Amino acid sequence: MTVRKNQANLTAAEKKAFVDAVLEVKRIGVYDEFVAAHRLRFALDMNTGVYVGHFGPSFLPWHRKFLIDFENELQKIDASVSIPYWDWTADNTVASSVWAPDLLGGTGRPLDDQVMDGPFAYSAGKWPINIQVDSRPFLARNLAYRVPTLPSRAEVDAALAIPTYDSAPFRDGSAGFRATLEGSAGYLSMHNRVHSWVWGQMESSVSPNDPVFWLHHSFVDKLWADWHALHPTSAEYLPAGGTVDVIDLNETMPPWPNTTPQSMLDHTPFYTYA
Amino acid sequence: MTKLTRRQAFGTVAGAAAGIAVAGIAVASANATPDKAGRFTTAATGTAAGTKHHHTAVPAPFSEVFEGRRIQGIPGDANAKSEAHGQHHTSATGYRVLIDGRELHVMQKPDSSWSSVMNHYQTFPDPHTAARAAVTSLMGADLVPHTPTA
């Protein structure tokens, strides 16, 4: 059974196993398929106004499925591996263990934001950026540059306290747990703020180029599970049906032919959180 | 990288969605004005959720050198077929943004705010602000042709 753990609690061996599996999925070309899929989904969400992966209620189940698929690829390499989560409310500085050379490496250098240490540094030779929006072939970050701070635990708790999953018009800025967690207010809050805090590829539509994408979204996914446990009588997902340009509870979420929000409500058949 | 093979799963949607995407792409850029510390002083806008006066005012054209890069904003569909990368982008606004002649893909959200592929988790009040933000993010790099549905 897959157990997703806080990255801060991983052993050295667990970190190495995770990193090695990610590098291998990259080497065989599968990793970049996930980057391309995310870029495509983001473009479609933005350009068509049909919000599937972002800006709508299916933000959470879409990314849950996206992570499950990625985790499955990792486990084809090493069955012991799971996606750790990064609690950015607690490990909220550039000195956090998540940025150490034995996990993701640190911030970029001033010249060009290029990450210079860790297994994903360009100089290590195993992490070319192939799916791009700009010409940089290297992983780039500038931690705490765009916004100096990460969301606080109090902000997260305030979002978790909202009893309603989502509400009309079911897009960015809607009232409810989902839109609050995804982040609005010029986007520089909550989930969106974390992307901007990391900067580099994490700020762009090819954000999965940075492996921290998975640890970030694993924590977002855990918060969804936490919300569900806190509000057992709330509708698990809204809207229930008949909503134009929005994925309803039992509608399929592209690109998967058979995945609905309903099928993603219970994460425990796939993994649990430690 | 054109040989994304595995995706029977991803591919189906890619094909089906391609037409929609082309129809909806608004090409624009935005700029924000960094302060001395390099941070942006132009607050991202994020208007109220659900406001429906979207795509009303077409942003003004602009052309300037910002941090050493030529950035241009070109309103109107009349320009939608020009060079850039040989792609034709038409949209409700048809607004295009170029950085050193290369297209920066920008989008206008229903709340009338703007975003770009370079700064996807922020919104900006207009394409000019988005273009400047992209220049800052690029750190001297060039944009590459953006063909997510190819």
Side-chain angles (χ1 to χ4, degrees), chain A residues 29-30 32-34 36-44 46-49 51 54-55 66 69 73 76 109-113 130-136 144-148 169 171-174 185-188 191-193 195-196 199-200 202-207 213 217 254-257, chain B residues 1 3-15 17-18 20-21 23-26 32 34 37-40 42-50 52 106-111 113 115-124 133 136-149:
Chain A
V30 170
D32 286 341
E33 298 177 14
F34 284 85
H38 188 271
R39 183 177 67 170
L40 169 63
R41 188 64 258 161
F42 221 146
L44 297 177
M46 280 293 210
N47 295 328
T48 66
Y51 297 146
H54 307 85
F55 317 121
F66 195 55
D69 281 4
E73 297 296 335
K76 289 178 188 174
R109 64 180 177 181
L111 173 68
D112 54 6
D113 289 348
N130 301 313
I131 304 298
Q132 302 167 301
V133 291
D134 63 68
S135 60
R136 290 176 293 184
Y145 158 72
R146 176 64 176 98
V147 285
R171 50 179 75 246
D172 43 308
S174 292
Y187 286 8
L188 292 174
H191 151 269
N192 287 323
R193 184 183 187 90
H195 279 273
S196 297
W199 205 245
M202 262 294 271
E203 164 65 9
S204 76
S205 75
V206 291
S207 48
F213 174 92
H217 271 280
W256 302 283
Chain B
M1 299 278 293
K3 71 320 151 60
L4 299 175
T5 48
R6 174 181 59 123
R7 38 287 162 30
Q8 261 33 19
F10 295 146
T12 5
V13 183
I20 306 172
I25 285 176
R39 291 199 171 82
F40 304 105
T42 303
T45 51
T47 39
K52 283 299 181 190
V106 295
M107 309 84 177
Q108 188 172 22
K109 300 291 300 298
D111 68 0
S113 67
S115 187
S116 85
V117 294
M118 285 299 299
N119 303 99
H120 236 336
Y121 298 88
Q122 300 178 46
T123 55
F124 304 94
T136 301
S137 293
L138 282 166
M139 297 292 284
D142 290 321
L143 294 165
V144 299
H146 182 63
T147 54
T149 56

Side-chain angles (χ1 to χ4, degrees), chain A residues 22-23 26 31 35 99 103-109 112-124 126-130 132 134-143 198-204 206-213:
Chain A
V22 171
L23 291 175
K26 175 77 167 182
Y31 192 97
V35 184
W99 308 117
L103 194 50
L104 301 185
T107 194
R109 64 180 177 181
D112 54 6
D113 289 348
Q114 182 174 174
V115 171
M116 300 303 291
D117 68 341
F120 306 101
Y122 187 69
S123 55
K126 295 182 176 178
W127 203 255
I129 303 300
N130 301 313
Q132 302 167 301
D134 63 68
S135 60
R136 290 176 293 184
F138 50 82
L139 179 63
R141 292 182 190 132
N142 195 346
L143 305 180
V198 177
W199 205 245
Q201 282 89 9
M202 262 294 271
E203 164 65 9
S204 76
V206 291
S207 48
N209 273 312
D210 191 329
V212 79
F213 174 92

Side-chain angles (χ1 to χ4, degrees), chain A residues 86-100:
Chain A
W86 168 36
D87 179 351
W88 26 257
T89 70
D91 300 304
N92 57 3
T93 73
V94 297
S96 165
S97 59
V98 72
W99 308 117

